[in-house]
Amino acid sequence: MNKMIMMIVVLLPMLSGVLIPLLPFRNRRQMMIYIETAVLLNTILVFLMLANPPQNALVLFKFTGNLSVSFRLDGLGRIFAGLISALWPLSVLYSFEYMKHEKHEKYFFMFYTITYGVTLGVALAEDIVTMYFFFEMLSLITLPLIMYTLTREAIHASRTYFYYMTGGAAFAFIGMIFILSYGTTSNFVPGGVIDLAKVGDKTNLLLIIYVLCFCGFSVKTAMWPFSSWLPKAGVAPTPVTALLHAVAVVNTGAFTLMRVTYYSFGTELLRGTWAQKAVMTLVIITIVYGCGRALKETHIKRRLAWSTVSNLSYILFGVVLMSPLGLTGALSHMVFHSVMKICSFFCAGAVMYQTGRTYIYELDGFGHKMPKVFVLFTISGMALMGVPGLCGFVSKWNLVKAAVASRMPLAYVGVAALLISALLTAIYMLSISVRAFFPGKQFDYGTIRDVKDPNWMMILPLTVFAVAMFCFGLHPAPLLELFRQVVSVF
């Protein structure tokens, strides 16, 4: 019975979401209570599951041979499932206020809630077939959220998203087929499953397939040269962009790459090869490229989107170091970046919701009229920079430590990229706060007399995220110990 909870936490949000447009709610408040209750209940069930993890796998159904859709909760899955479940209720609460003036709200929350269950399906996947199944389902279920406004820009962005995800899925599928062909099992096993006896003299071919598979799954993380879909997706409502950038989609890409690298192909096969150097080069390029594009961008959400492109490759940098220390750094930044970036996106969304302003040059003096939002935004910006005392410093320190320990010349180039990125992040994030708080002596505050902070439904999630940044920054030991337990199997 204990293992059935894995199926429940995946299906409950999906079924709850499907019912949203069908139930005869008397008013919007009833709908809000229903959605938040369903999401909170599922989060409680997830944390109960994490506290008492099932020991056995749960097979939902079998295909031919030994292929199946099945769930198992291991250490890596516990971290990702916990991260998703902690952020989702706060995201939904913020969405209630943001979406209250939008049309077709029921359909928005239907897809938004279903996405929760689908993402948990990726986290709990026992094998690569199950992970790929939910990975693809996530692309399809988030597509309507991107095109939600049905504007010309939204439709164009959704097409771009679909094309990129379809192409990435094709490369990922090739990798899956080779893992099934040359692996001892389809399940995720620490250290990998590739049978070298089967590989024989085809090692170079397998390395080529790994690079293709890495690129396929990395489309969701917007690695260069597959980055352009993420800034374009910023035309969606802010709760959706936060979902894409901080909670579900991009983290799913990073999580699947951890699985493929450490649990399927195996680092013993990959470490020191040209394939490792190839993917590390792409990751390092993305770190600097994303920051450079963010620095040039004047639209606030697109600037944050390019920031996400860069920061996601911090995670991938830890992955491609192919060491326990590297994976620890990758897990640290996956968790901490989620908190930092969802806070900054929700701050940007609060500004857009309250004022309709979308460009950075329009934000002069806003810090005096929206002090809560811009103080919280500044905290998130400082965390992204890596200021000591905030969580971003902890994850960057772990990545640098892992890179130095690897003694790879290319890893040292990665450290330089991280330092350049930190400098550029300070410029493109704090320049927004400086404009908001110090508009100049000649600025006429009468032009923004109606600007004010949003209500508690937006401020509460932002405050929780800011507190988390300080807590993880000042006392990261319990979480880091959890990460070390996960990587101790390698």
Side-chain angles (χ1 to χ4, degrees), residues 130-196:
T130 305
M131 186 181 76
Y132 185 83
F133 174 77
F134 282 99
F135 181 85
E136 280 302 279
M137 191 185 298
L138 183 63
S139 298
L140 296 175
I141 208 69
T142 50
L143 186 63
L145 292 171
I146 295 174
M147 69 166 68
Y148 173 76
T149 58
L150 294 179
T151 61
R152 188 174 183 178
E153 293 81 5
I155 293 172
H156 176 68
S158 62
R159 286 176 179 169
T160 303
Y161 178 74
F162 179 76
Y163 297 151
Y164 272 80
M165 294 305 141
T166 303
F171 286 118
F173 184 79
I174 295 171
M176 181 180 71
I177 295 301
F178 269 74
I179 290 168
L180 295 175
S181 300
Y182 290 95
T184 55
T185 176
S186 63
N187 290 355
F188 294 123
V189 177
V193 299
I194 299 299
D195 186 347
L196 295 180

Side-chain angles (χ1 to χ4, degrees), residues 103-116:
K103 297 178 181 178
H104 310 300
E105 202 180 5
K106 284 187 175 181
Y107 293 101
F108 171 87
F109 282 109
M110 177 182 75
F111 290 111
Y112 204 79
T113 307
I114 291 173
T115 304
Y116 185 11

